[in-house]
Amino acid sequence: MPRWGMAIDLGRCIGCRSCAVVCKIHNSLPPGTWWQRVETIGAKVHHTPVGRYPDFSEVYLPVPCQHCDNAPCVKVCPVGATWQREDGLVLIDFERCIGCRYCMTACPYGVRQFNWQNSDKNFKEAFKKLGFSQNWFADSSYRPGYPYEHRTKDGRLVFTPKRPRGVVEKCTFCVQYVDQGLPPACVRGCPGNARIFGDLNDPNSLISQVIKRRDVIRMREDLNTSPKVYYLLPEYKSYRGKIIYEKILKAFERMAVNL
Amino acid sequence: MRVSRRTFLKTALVGTTFLVGSKYFKKGFTEVSKDEGIKYVRSTCSPNCTGACGFNAMVHKGRIVALIQAADYPEEEYNPRGCLRGQSMVNLIYGPDRLKQPLIRVGKRGEGKFKAVSWDEALDYAATKLAEIMKKYGPESVASFIQVPGTGYVQKGALVRLSSALGWSVIHAYTMNGDLPMFWPITFGVQTEELESLEWANSKYTLICGSNILWTRVPDAKFLHLSRERGGKVVVVDPNYSPTAAAADEWIQINPSTDSAFALGLAYVILTEGLYDADFVKTYTDLPLLVRLDNQKKLRAEEVAGLSAQARAMKARLPEYRECYVVYDVNSKRLVIPDPENLKRNFDPLLEGELEVTLVDGKKVKVKPAFQLLKEEVLANYSPEKVAQIIAPSSDRVKEYEELIKRIGREIATIKPLHIVYGASNYQWYHGDLKGRAYSLLVALTGNLGKSGAGISTYAGQYRIRWPLGAWWQFKGKPLKWVSFLLWLNKEFRESEVFKKYNTETPYPPNDVKALVFGWGNPFDQHNLANRLREKALNGELELIINFDFQMATSVAWSDVILPGVAWYEKYDLTATILHPYVQLQQPAIEPLFQCMPEIWICKELAKRVVEKLGDEELKKQIREFYVNPELFDKEEEARRKGEWNLKLARELAHQASLDAADIMLKTGGPLVEGITLEALKKGPVRLNLPTPNKRQLVFYEQIQEYKPFPPVSYPAPLPKTARFVKSGRIEFYKDEDVFIDLKETLPVHKDPIKETEHKIMKEKYPLIYITRNRLYSVHSTHSNNITMLELQDFRPRVWIHPDTARKRGIKEGDLVEIYNERGKVYAYAVLDPGIHPQVVTFEEGWWSRYLRGTSYNTLIYPWIKPTHIIYFVPGIWEASTCWNEAACEIKKA
């Protein structure tokens, strides 16, 4: 049985947010919902520098669901709607979720979101707010995203383009693709080749090799959540301008929870 | 545990494809797989970034539900090409702004009131009006334009073909966009040249000057990282700290538009420390050529006693655009005429010193090699001490900058290959040409051209096409007429003494421009003088405006007839931009939405109907050849006669006609596309047959390695048109056309920005400089209304200013501010960014008026035209251009 994990190379990430966007379209996320965010560590506005003039620095941090081996969200779910599948994916059964949002409080990475309303409403409100001539797609029955429901072997609904109201949702590592032998959309869509997806149980897989050989960190190791998303530290950026990279790392650890 | 970076890379790079097919994934398969209802169609994302990235459209029930990069380029490093804008293109194809059917204006221009009409009604209405204007004012009074031809040779070519057939004037989009890097034709005689980004990884030193390629070249940005991973150094020179600066080893902040001083300061170090590549300078540049001190012109061999007969004989066998100049050969100790058609050298020219030469008329004149003049100029004015005063952002850093100039000068002279990226934001200044000439000097002095990873590149304003397209673009070989956008809208310049003095060949329609037919552009808020264009639309001087678009962009509201076109997932087209050397197809993944039609059909119908209204019998007979295969035209007409015509048939025929057009362009395109077939392109990208090792796109490979003369041809301009810019056949740093002598710009020099343009208004009221940079979230105007991109910008336009600049004006983070000068204003929300130069206000271009409270961000900008731009007219290569960033402004809380 594989154990899926992801490695994100912070030396390669350019903060372009293509991962967030390709995720959004493929997973039918309406305005207001993101399964994946990319921000500049320590900056108020993305792509503005941190540090003291002229020794500035910008390091970008993409944050998908960390698919923790020891996931706090799984522990707090009172109905077993959130669970970790045998292959390591932390998933939500949309049919079982009761919308209590305990998991959102428990997640230290802030990657879970709640569907307060029908996603059509999000689109309508956003279109209206932005001054479009009408508040719906020109093709009225159009909806972006992977068009089918996706169920696990035991029949649990883990993806549907028409998301029910009142459930929590989050990054699934694109379970609908992984189950077909394809990497998640953010991995395929990253123009910076910053992401590697693969089997952590296989010592010969690229991801295992890379994690073994590079300096890696996981977010909030202190919480013992044991994430399966590994961040590769930018080796060649160890000394940039006059900023010692370790300082950024400290900021990185502080930042992680606030995203 | 560690492996070397290279080993990791090797594995990492094969990783992406390896993973897709990996059998590890098979273990995770569920029994439930319903993908049978999905098909994937490969097309090419083709907005004006010219990135031309292969995308697969995921099609379900006739709709594109998602897009993903095709990742099918043979060089694995290129995969996956594509970015957030292309990934969310479905927001535009299906979004609320999508046009559904032809429209005719009923309200006032700009008001946006239309009636929906049938194709017949819209086309007949347009054709009647066009024919009237053509008869009344002459066909050249109808002006058409397309944007960035490389992104669509077939459909954009169809409008050019239409203009050729009917004798209309074409506006080259270059002059509208203002991203003309004039140093290219001045120095090298070309439109532009550039490394493909794959080659960035081979550079050992990358000097990026005023370019934010991390945003503007998202799919290529990784090659900067690859270069660093392979041990290369990246240095960013920019008034503002940018994400690209963040990716670099070093950021050198300089004052706005002082790059020529910086570059010449580096040249000072290279020249004084003897670090230049003398062999390169002697072989490929005009620096050894002798210059007359009495008239500042290059010494022509014909003028010289004892050389004139030989010169005349040489010229008789040389093309007309060549001139014979003179060097002093230190070996034979005599004057020699270098062959301008062959750079291979059998003499050793003098670089430094002064000579006296006897002319044919017996007069004796003093001459010096251009190199000597250059050295005198640089030594006199560009010592690190002097340059540091000009470029250092604050007086307390001057000493530091002196040392920095010396260090960088030594680094670029010794670390090879060196690649300079000269950004559009940097050359879009009044003296942008001088800065480019100065940076070009650095690559020439250090011998960094014609090799892998070496050169100078501009990744904007690349308007060349890849091979001759006349078979499609010109209807039956009819030549094109031209008009310049800036001259049309800038009457005061057209009538100025300067224009009269220097202009020799710029055409202008005798009865002015009366009708505008355009597509793939948004001129009513995206261009310099957009306000004047609106005036002309409102006061009726512009009698007819016809627009092809697939969305309700700002310019649609200003148009009289809107003929709805399609996106690049609804048609066939041939794409071959300059950014990378791949020829690709756009292929229809879906039927065109609603009543939208491929532009080739719209152009064909316009051609047919205008010709009928004109009553030109000759043209009437010919026009069935508008589609390459006239039988397709006949078939559609026959269906009409029989009452069997429908959109589906018209689309099928248009698709076939598009493929035919692509086919004929490939078959008549010459050696660069020999053997590239439609069949191959349907499967994926095919590399052009470039005459370099591995067909890599290098800068001046044939000139440097095979001693061919400058310039290589810049299609579509015929060689004689561009070769006359560099008559010596060499890289020219000494320009002796009168205008350069008058302006004291015979050599690359530094001139302060603003001084000759906005000085007065800046001194009085507007102390800040208004820079409009490219956004990460749009491609100019395209994607301005993309809901996902809007969300990533907090749904609002932003302006980036230094905290001190803000504090002085009581502006806080997030405040709504007004940026203004006496010409116009624009609104945006303040982002306080300590990396922005304190004198600079950075607004992000591309926003439609509707997001700016009805204002247009271009109204603040006046297109100052430098006289050097008007001494020749070769469309899109040497003509009047604008300088967006040369604009003074002030900012206040709104």
Side-chain angles (χ1 to χ4, degrees), chain B residues 759-869:
Chain B
H759 186 62
K760 193 165 167 288
I761 73 161
M762 178 170 271
K763 214 171 134 193
E764 287 166 1
K765 282 190 270 190
Y766 306 106
L768 301 172
I769 293 169
Y770 177 61
I771 284 182
T772 41
R773 72 172 171 193
N774 284 63
R775 270 185 289 166
L776 173 60
Y777 305 104
S778 76
V779 178
H780 306 303
S781 170
T782 310
H783 294 288
S784 273
N785 59 334
N786 180 328
I787 192 162
T788 309
M789 297 303 105
L790 284 162
E791 196 181 344
L792 288 172
Q793 299 165 88
D794 303 327
F795 301 107
R796 59 197 196 177
R798 294 172 294 179
V799 60
W800 308 59
I801 45 177
H802 191 277
D804 291 346
T805 314
R807 199 177 310 118
K808 277 183 205 149
R809 291 159 178 83
I811 296 166
K812 289 195 224 39
E813 182 91 45
D815 278 352
L816 178 69
V817 297
E818 181 183 323
I819 310 136
Y820 63 100
N821 63 20
E822 59 197 10
R823 293 183 290 261
K825 64 180 175 190
V826 67
Y827 296 98
Y829 293 85
V831 174
L832 306 193
D833 178 345
I836 300 284
H837 191 285
Q839 207 198 348
V840 163
V841 168
T842 303
F843 183 79
E844 296 184 317
E845 58 102 317
W847 287 98
W848 294 5
S849 292
R850 84 172 178 213
Y851 302 106
L852 303 173
R853 304 173 175 228
T855 59
S856 160
Y857 65 90
N858 283 319
T859 52
L860 283 81
I861 298 158
Y862 182 79
W864 300 97
I865 295 171
K866 198 169 173 180
T868 41
H869 285 213

Side-chain angles (χ1 to χ4, degrees), chain A residues 100-119:
Chain A
C100 70
R101 291 174 279 138
Y102 284 179
C103 55
M104 292 175 70
T105 323
C107 173
Y109 309 105
V111 298
R112 294 183 157 246
Q113 302 183 49
F114 185 64
N115 289 336
W116 288 98
Q117 57 183 17
N118 182 315
S119 63

Side-chain angles (χ1 to χ4, degrees), chain A residues 12 17-18 24 26 32 34 53 138-139 141-142 145-146 148 180 189 193 202 213-215 236 240, chain B residues 1-2 5 8-9 24 34-35 63-65 67 69 87 94 222 225 229 246 253 397 777 791:
Chain A
R12 290 252 184 112
R17 295 175 159 172
S18 295
K24 186 160 183 135
H26 278 254
W34 295 94
Y53 173 87
D139 177 350
S141 53
Y142 180 75
Y146 183 77
Y148 299 120
Q180 292 175 56
N193 294 118
D202 176 358
R213 289 165 189 178
R214 291 273 303 271
D215 289 339
Y236 64 95
R240 156 147 89 194
Chain B
M1 201 183 147
R2 279 160 186 263
R5 189 72 203 178
F8 164 61
L9 261 177
Y24 298 122
K34 294 182 228 157
D35 254 13
R63 293 194 178 98
I64 302 171
V65 291
L67 295 158
Q69 289 99 313
Q87 289 167 343
Y94 295 97
K222 75 176 127 195
H225 285 143
E229 288 170 13
Q253 184 182 38
R397 298 189 72 190
Y777 305 104
E791 196 181 344

